[in-house]
């Protein structure tokens, strides 16, 4: 069974600053995928960024990037130039074929201040 | 907008009653997933379909829960004899294809309150 751990229940960042959200996971699978999902208050979950485990290069999507450390089973999310709209719950998630069901962490609530 | 839709958005029921939720996935998405999210927690997997076939059910899905996806389109999740512990947000997600990297698109959820 897979487990995903997010050890930061809450984080705060000032607008325009950079923040890093932590995630560790445990699995015996060799073929898997990691995701960061964003859940704004009272709104639906949306994908922020994904990482294939077989790729060494860290994924980036505009202001969002990951630091994927496969040996350490660590998958952190860096948000640069934080914006007020980034305020949300962020969930780290794991999936592996064939089911590709998502296993989520407990989430990190990100607050963005002026 | 042709995203994932869920109905109803909110449901309040008395303990012991049956409830049914509906999920309409993005058209042409062959996979459909149900998750349950309780306050302060991440979503937990319940079950998933590939087309009309239910391929996996979590141990969280007790005998009181049943899900269907007739004709591989919309899906329903029924809870019989509801208990207070069933109070949660029920999320539906859909994806196209079977690859593990496929993005799952989530619906807005159905919030169930059992009194």
């Amino acid at each position: 069974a897979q487990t995903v751990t997010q050890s930061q229940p809450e984080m705060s960042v000032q607008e325009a600053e950079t923040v890093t959200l932590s995630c560790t996971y445990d699995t015996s699978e060799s073929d898997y995928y990691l995701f960061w999902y964003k859940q704004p208050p009272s709104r639906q979950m949306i994908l922020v960024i994904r990482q294939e485990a077989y790729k060494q290069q860290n994924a980036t999507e505009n202001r969002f990037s990951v630091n994927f450390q496969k040996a350490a089973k660590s998958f952190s999310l860096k948000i640069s130039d934080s914006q007020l709209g980034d305020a949300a719950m962020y969930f780290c998630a794991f999936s592996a074929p064939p089911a590709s069901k998502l296993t989520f962490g407990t989430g990190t609530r990100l607050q963005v201040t002026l | 907008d042709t995203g994932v839709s869920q109905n109803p958005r909110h449901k309040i029921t008395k303990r012991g009653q049956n409830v049914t939720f509906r999920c309409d996935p993005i058209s042409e998405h062959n996979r459909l997933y149900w998750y349950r999210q309780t306050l302060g927690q991440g979503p937990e997997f319940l079950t998933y379909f590939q087309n009309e076939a239910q391929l996996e059910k979590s141990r969280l899905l007790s005998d009181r829960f049943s899900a269907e996806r007739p004709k591989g389109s919309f899906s329903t999740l029924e809870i019989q004899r509801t208990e207070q512990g069933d109070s949660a947000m029920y999320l539906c997600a859909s994806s196209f294809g079977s690859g593990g990297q496929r993005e799952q698109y989530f619906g807005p959820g159905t919030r169930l309150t059992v009194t």
Side-chain angles (χ1 to χ4, degrees), chain A residues 10-109:
Chain A
E10 294 188 14
M11 292 284 285
S12 183
V13 63
Q14 283 192 320
E15 200 177 18
E17 296 297 309
T18 296
V19 64
T20 299
L21 308 184
S22 301
C23 173
T24 58
Y25 62 95
D26 192 23
T27 184
S28 57
E29 302 283 349
S30 57
D31 180 18
Y32 58 90
Y33 303 84
L34 296 163
F35 305 83
W36 279 97
Y37 276 87
K38 170 185 177 182
Q39 189 176 40
S42 302
R43 293 180 61 187
Q44 56 212 75
M45 192 143 355
I46 57 174
L47 178 66
V48 174
I49 197 165
R50 86 190 82 191
Q51 174 78 45
E52 292 86 346
Y54 63 84
K55 287 187 177 179
Q56 292 187 329
Q57 187 172 8
N58 289 325
T60 61
E61 286 288 343
N62 301 314
R63 299 183 295 107
F64 299 88
S65 61
V66 299
N67 184 3
F68 175 46
Q69 301 291 324
K70 191 172 183 178
K73 294 182 179 174
S74 169
F75 182 61
S76 61
L77 174 69
K78 185 171 82 171
I79 306 174
S80 304
D81 185 25
S82 297
Q83 301 175 359
L84 294 176
D86 295 334
M89 281 291 287
Y90 286 81
F91 291 98
C92 179
F94 170 104
S95 83
S100 301
K101 60 190 176 186
L102 292 166
T103 300
F104 288 89
T106 52
T108 297
R109 183 174 302 281

Side-chain angles (χ1 to χ4, degrees), chain B residues 51-90:
Chain B
N51 300 312
E52 67 276 7
Q54 188 175 20
L55 296 187
E56 185 173 342
K57 293 192 292 186
S58 162
R59 283 173 288 182
L60 293 175
L61 215 64
S62 76
D63 291 345
R64 297 184 296 106
F65 288 71
S66 63
E68 295 182 341
R69 192 184 182 197
K71 302 179 183 178
S73 56
F74 70 91
S75 176
T76 58
L77 178 67
E78 181 184 16
I79 309 175
Q80 297 182 326
R81 305 181 303 281
T82 52
E83 302 173 355
Q84 287 189 323
D86 297 331
S87 295
M89 177 75 86
Y90 290 84

Side-chain angles (χ1 to χ4, degrees), chain B residues 35-54:
Chain B
Y35 296 87
R36 181 171 67 189
Q37 185 177 22
T38 54
L39 202 60
Q41 299 297 316
E44 295 175 295
F45 168 77
L46 293 178
T47 188
Y48 90 98
F49 294 83
Q50 181 157 305
N51 300 312
E52 67 276 7
Q54 188 175 20

